[in-house]
Amino acid sequence: MWNNAYVYDWKLKLGKVGSRQTMMTEPAVNGCCEKAGIPECNSKTKASPAFEEVLDAIGSRGKFQTRLNIVFVCFASCFDLMSVNMFYLAMQTPDHWCYVPGRELSNLSVEQWKNLTIPREGASFSKCLMYNQSDVTDFGGSREPVKCQHGWEYDDTWFSLTVTSQMNWVCDNQQAVNDVLFYSQIIGVALGLLFGYIGDIWIAQHLDTQVELTLADDRYGRRPQQLLCLSAHVLSRVLVVLAPHVLPLFILAASLVSAAAGPLTESVLSVGLELTDIKHRTAVNRYACCSMAVGMMLAGLVSWALPNWNYSLSVAALSCFILFFFFSWFPESPRWLACRGREQEALAVLWRIAATNGSTVPPFALQVIQTVGKSKTDRRGFLGIFSSWNVFRNTVILIVARSVHLLTMYSPVIAVSRLSANPFLGIVAQGAAKFTAYYLVNYFGARFGRRWPGVASAVLAAMACVLIFCLLTGELRPFSLLI
């Protein structure tokens, strides 16, 4: 889509002949534009001010945008990913073995006691079997392996307490961990559609240096969606700490963050992009991506400092709760308000931005709001993905690409306890790699366009999947110490 500034610049270029700039009449310019196929230049078409011109007048990089980007685009995105990764760390299963009473009455070390009481399975001790003896003085009993009779002991080298070790979801009960991770994601997908539907998620179409934001459907707006997502984060982390003994409630609580994580980041980013000038939107997107990588690194560092999952997830809940104190800084989308016919409310948002930035709203702002509202009347909701083959095809491609991205990102986090290294440093290293990758992709995307950096990202993701598979299956076990 051509805007007035681009058309005006193009007209100026038409007036240059060699090294001498000439003045061209409006009919001559329009004639050249018609030959070039630019309808915006037609003399019968009167150019109207665009929303970006309103932003330029009220300030597109002022105090209002600065605090919005710092608190929500950066900190909210950071806390979002920190909370998600902390939960996966809390679901880790430490090394464990049967608890056999009696060691406290002896002078034997843990390793010596395990040699006496726990059978071996290959090079390691069994995790679910013990010898049929319950006291160190009773060595004459049967040495037949039996299932654990008195519970389990857990290796606390890295985790002092996880959900798995607290609830003893091991051996015959290990399916509970898979149930939590599986059903929380399934329920999260359904709730995520609801959260996105409530907020009317924006679809960003990156066109070189321009971002055109179009509405998919409208319900309640970005601000209620952000409030709902923050509330879901806090409520989820409080419930999972208080109710691990009630498995259905625990799964439902975990699914709240699975549903809210994506809409939370996308809602703040959509508003941040909308209220920023075109040239600065790539930078705002880079801030959000890099903040998510920082959140992943913080998840590893905080969980390392607080290896008890109750404390680490409480920190996640507190971090999201703090954002409520700054919620008054998060505005409703003026474009969305205009599309809903709430012109005065949209104008009030613009006045608020202008007052914060020390500027004034231009007199043509209401005209722009009315134009935006009239141009966004055809909205089809979720059924819009079936409006054409191209839309459906691109939607499927995006879903597959996003699924591969999440699988690549979270598989090492879920299985981090299987690596013979510090699991927290592994998460920090992964976050640092994501930070570098996000920065490079944004840099090359702004410099060379979106297509080839996107292709390169997909190729690197495929290579990362192969590497992760080899690490987790033991094919590259000597290199696992490097992660």
Side-chain angles (χ1 to χ4, degrees):
M1 180 180 293
W2 290 72
N3 61 25
N4 298 323
Y6 290 161
V7 174
Y8 178 70
D9 291 341
W10 198 86
K11 289 180 179 180
L12 289 179
K13 292 178 181 179
L14 288 176
K16 294 181 180 180
V17 179
S19 61
R20 182 170 57 91
Q21 183 171 349
T22 62
M23 295 297 295
M24 300 182 66
T25 62
E26 185 66 20
V29 173
N30 288 328
C32 296
C33 291
E34 289 176 0
K35 293 180 180 179
I38 304 175
E40 285 82 350
C41 297
N42 195 303
S43 59
K44 296 181 180 180
T45 302
K46 183 178 180 181
S48 59
F51 187 80
E52 283 70 22
E53 296 180 56
V54 177
L55 282 180
D56 291 337
I58 65 178
S60 57
R61 302 190 195 181
K63 177 182 177 181
F64 188 92
Q65 285 83 359
T66 299
R67 69 187 191 186
L68 173 67
N69 291 334
I70 290 176
V71 174
F72 290 97
V73 173
C74 292
F75 279 99
S77 300
C78 176
F79 295 155
D80 183 24
L81 265 289
M82 182 182 73
S83 176
V84 171
N85 284 278
M86 277 183 173
F87 178 76
Y88 288 132
L89 286 173
M91 292 298 296
Q92 297 297 314
T93 302
D95 186 25
H96 54 278
W97 56 91
C98 295
Y99 168 69
V100 181
R103 188 176 72 86
E104 59 276 7
L105 303 177
S106 68
N107 295 323
L108 300 177
S109 65
V110 174
E111 194 70 17
Q112 291 173 331
W113 185 254
K114 289 167 67 177
N115 278 323
L116 291 175
T117 58
I118 307 296
R120 286 186 174 271
E121 294 180 350
S124 60
F125 290 100
S126 174
K127 301 180 183 299
C128 303
L129 297 176
M130 57 176 284
Y131 287 126
N132 188 16
Q133 57 187 45
S134 60
D135 192 273
V136 69
T137 59
D138 182 19
F139 292 118
S142 172
R143 300 285 290 178
E144 290 295 324
V146 296
K147 292 183 178 181
C148 298
Q149 305 293 312
H150 311 284
W152 291 265
E153 289 188 78
Y154 296 89
D155 183 6
D156 59 358
T157 302
W158 303 116
F159 299 95
S160 63
L161 187 67
T162 66
V163 180
T164 305
S165 60
Q166 177 177 325
M167 301 304 301
N168 287 324
W169 287 342
V170 293
C171 298
D172 291 342
N173 298 322
Q174 64 181 349
Q175 185 61 34
V177 177
N178 298 330
D179 290 342
V180 170
L181 296 177
F182 177 77
Y183 289 111
S184 64
Q185 294 300 317
I186 296 298
I187 299 174
V189 169
L191 292 178
L193 293 175
L194 175 62
F195 283 24
Y197 196 56
I198 288 175
D200 173 20
I201 291 183
W202 295 66
I203 303 171
Q205 298 174 342
H206 297 272
L207 304 177
D208 195 21
T209 59
Q210 185 178 358
V211 177
E212 179 186 359
L213 297 176
T214 59
L215 291 172
D217 186 24
D218 52 82
R219 282 299 175 265
Y220 302 105
R222 237 63 63 216
R223 184 175 167 86
Q225 181 191 39
Q226 184 69 7
L227 180 63
L228 177 63
C229 291
L230 286 176
S231 302
H233 260 281
V234 176
L235 179 62
S236 168
R237 293 320 178 219
V238 171
L239 284 179
V240 295
V241 171
L242 297 178
H245 298 83
V246 184
L247 188 58
L249 181 59
F250 185 83
I251 292 175
L252 180 60
S255 66
L256 289 178
V257 168
S258 298
L264 186 149
T265 302
E266 290 167 358
S267 64
V268 298
L269 187 56
S270 67
V271 175
L273 291 174
E274 177 188 355
L275 300 180
T276 305
D277 62 277
I278 293 174
K279 294 182 179 179
H280 197 56
R281 285 171 179 168
T282 300
V284 173
N285 185 67
R286 181 166 60 248
Y287 298 155
C289 293
C290 292
S291 296
M292 289 188 285
V294 172
M296 191 171 191
M297 289 188 280
L298 281 179
L301 293 174
V302 173
S303 297
W304 194 0
L306 301 172
N308 186 316
W309 77 279
N310 294 282
Y311 301 146
S312 60
L313 287 188
S314 297
V315 169
L318 180 61
S319 300
C320 294
F321 181 76
I322 291 175
L323 295 175
F324 283 110
F325 294 99
F326 303 93
F327 192 72
S328 60
W329 291 357
F330 190 82
E332 185 53 85
S333 162
R335 288 180 187 261
W336 182 85
L337 290 171
C339 294
R340 293 288 290 168
R342 296 154 63 175
E343 298 173 356
Q344 294 303 318
E345 294 181 52
L347 195 61
V349 174
L350 297 180
W351 275 108
R352 176 185 168 195
I353 297 174
T356 305
N357 291 340
S359 59
T360 58
V361 177
F364 57 83
L366 182 58
Q367 175 190 353
V368 172
I369 290 175
Q370 292 172 343
T371 303
V372 170
K374 293 177 181 177
S375 64
K376 306 293 183 181
T377 55
D378 184 16
R379 297 180 289 273
R380 303 183 183 181
F382 289 122
L383 296 180
I385 65 174
F386 302 105
S387 60
S388 70
W389 165 248
N390 285 337
V391 173
F392 177 76
R393 180 194 61 189
N394 292 339
T395 302
V396 172
I397 292 175
L398 288 174
I399 291 174
V400 173
R402 186 66 177 268
S403 301
V404 172
H405 164 70
L406 295 177
L407 180 64
T408 306
M409 181 170 63
Y410 290 120
S411 292
V413 179
I414 296 175
V416 70
S417 61
R418 295 181 55 184
L419 301 178
S420 55
N422 186 331
F424 307 114
L425 283 181
I427 300 300
V428 174
Q430 186 178 347
K434 284 171 61 66
F435 185 94
T436 305
Y438 280 141
Y439 184 87
L440 291 177
V441 168
N442 275 271
Y443 172 79
F444 286 113
R447 188 176 180 85
F448 303 107
R450 274 72 173 174
R451 182 179 183 183
W452 292 113
V455 173
S457 299
V459 172
L460 290 175
M463 295 172 61
C465 288
V466 174
L467 178 61
I468 292 169
F469 174 80
C470 293
L471 287 173
L472 297 181
T473 56
E475 297 295 331
L476 295 178
R477 189 170 298 278
F479 297 96
S480 64
L481 296 176
L482 300 177
I483 298 183

